């Protein structure tokens, strides 16, 4: 069985899977940095067209949470789950807070000013939406502060899938909020701040954060040189041509 993970350094969802791979020591899964604007062939071969995508002998599994569960099933040791259904529910709850409540709100904030693709973010003027999303994000981090472990791990006193989700989620939140010029809410939550500082001492987390930094620098370079705009235009042209061919 041949497996390859299609990934982006800057994607918190892809980082979640990579951290799981590193924590489990899975050297047989290759990782490929995929173009930010996915090729037409990628869209045609993968109907959901999402990163990360785990390719297995020509087939593909999308969605980071689905990939994570699949990897736990085929590589049960070392386990990144708990020993009881209740422990697993807690792990999945923490991971979902990272995926949905943290990354989701941070991404929507970024979309309000073009942070993902603009050299200098430009406010859209919809400040009421920005205020709403900022409030939701702050509330979610406050909730996480009550639930996060106090021993340097998200829960259970060891690395779990919750850590794999939260490490990139918190890094993504900070990156997006700094770019947006908004107050960073993590420092105001002592337990989350302590967790974020402590988890970086774990090798898989440190590796993910280094890759995320590399991805941010690459994105800044692509934006400043205009490469990102050229990639976007080429991608749009290819997709329009493919749609015309289908309708001809």
């Amino acid at each position: 069985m041949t497996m390859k993970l299609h990934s982006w350094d800057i994607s918190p969802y892809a980082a979640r899977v990579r951290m799981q791979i590193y924590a489990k020591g899975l050297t047989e899964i290759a990782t490929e940095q995929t173009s930010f604007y996915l090729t037409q062939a990628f869209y045609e071969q993968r109907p959901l067209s999402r990163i990360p995508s785990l390719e297995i002998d020509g087939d593909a599994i999308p969605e980071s949470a689905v990939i994570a569960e699949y990897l736990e099933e085929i590589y049960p040791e070392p386990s990144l789950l708990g020993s009881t259904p209740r422990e697993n529910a807690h792990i999945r709850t923490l991971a979902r807070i990272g995926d949905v409540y943290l990354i989701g709100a941070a991404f929507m904030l970024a979309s309000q000013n073009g942070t993902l693709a603009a050299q200098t973010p430009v406010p859209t003027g919809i400040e009421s939406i920005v205020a709403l999303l900022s409030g939701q994000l702050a509330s979610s981090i406050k909730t996480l502060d009550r639930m996060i472990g106090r021993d340097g791990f998200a829960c259970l006193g060891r690395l779990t899938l919750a850590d794999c989700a939260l490490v990139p989620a918190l890094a993504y939140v900070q990156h997006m909020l700094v770019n947006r010029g908004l107050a960073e809410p993590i420092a105001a939550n002592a337990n989350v701040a302590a967790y974020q500082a402590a988890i970086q001492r774990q090798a898989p987390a440190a590796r993910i954060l280094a890759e995320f930094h590399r991805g941010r620098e690459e994105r800044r370079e692509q934006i400043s040189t205009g490469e990102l705009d050229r990639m976007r235009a080429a991608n749009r042209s290819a997709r329009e041509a493919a749609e015309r061919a289908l309708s001809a």
Side-chain angles (χ1 to χ4, degrees):
M1 181 170 60
T2 302
M3 290 190 286
K4 178 168 62 178
L5 182 72
H6 295 271
S7 176
W8 295 324
D9 280 344
I10 203 171
S11 165
Y13 298 114
R16 170 186 181 171
V17 178
R18 295 199 313 275
M19 183 167 164
Q20 179 185 15
I21 289 171
Y22 302 156
K24 296 177 85 68
L26 303 179
T27 58
E28 60 268 46
I29 302 178
T31 299
E32 179 177 296
Q33 284 287 107
T34 305
S35 171
F36 179 62
Y37 289 104
L38 302 176
T39 64
Q40 182 60 29
F42 193 97
Y43 282 109
E44 291 173 355
Q45 295 166 6
R46 298 166 177 81
L48 197 54
S49 302
R50 290 287 189 270
I51 295 294
S53 175
L54 182 64
E55 185 177 315
I56 307 170
D57 293 334
D59 193 12
I61 300 176
E63 292 295 329
S64 61
V66 177
I67 295 171
E69 294 292 344
Y70 174 78
L71 292 179
E72 284 301 311
E73 289 179 0
I74 64 172
Y75 299 107
E77 297 296 335
S79 176
L80 298 183
L81 288 171
S83 57
T84 67
R86 183 65 188 88
E87 289 180 349
N88 287 340
H90 186 54
I91 290 169
R92 291 178 176 121
T93 298
L94 290 171
R96 188 163 177 80
I97 288 174
D99 283 350
V100 178
Y101 298 98
L102 302 188
I103 297 174
F107 183 85
M108 291 302 296
L109 277 169
S111 70
Q112 288 295 305
N113 70 338
T115 296
L116 292 172
Q119 186 168 6
T120 303
V122 179
T124 63
I126 312 177
E127 291 305 318
S128 60
I129 295 179
V130 171
L132 175 64
L133 292 170
S134 298
Q136 290 176 344
L137 184 56
S139 177
S140 295
I141 295 177
K142 188 174 181 179
T143 298
L144 180 62
D145 197 69
R146 301 201 308 269
M147 300 176 66
I148 200 79
R150 310 292 197 270
D151 55 5
F153 297 95
C155 59
L156 303 188
R158 59 176 174 82
L159 282 177
T160 67
L161 291 182
D163 296 293
C164 295
L166 288 174
V167 167
L170 291 170
Y172 188 79
V173 164
Q174 286 184 310
H175 170 60
M176 290 304 176
L177 293 186
V178 168
N179 276 12
R180 187 64 177 79
L182 297 172
E184 190 267 282
I186 293 174
N189 293 273
N191 295 326
V192 174
Y195 164 77
Q196 190 181 37
I199 197 65
Q200 295 181 40
R201 294 193 287 269
Q202 301 297 320
R207 185 174 176 181
I208 285 299
L209 293 172
E211 291 170 348
F212 184 68
H213 176 73
R214 180 178 67 189
R216 288 185 305 180
E217 294 303 308
E218 180 184 26
R219 177 61 50 80
R220 290 191 181 103
E221 178 70 13
Q222 290 173 338
I223 291 171
S224 65
T225 62
E227 181 185 357
L228 197 63
D229 286 335
R230 292 191 292 272
M231 291 165 59
R232 182 194 294 117
N235 177 269
R236 182 167 53 245
S237 295
R239 296 199 69 184
E240 290 173 351
E243 290 171 0
R244 287 195 298 272
L246 286 174
S247 61

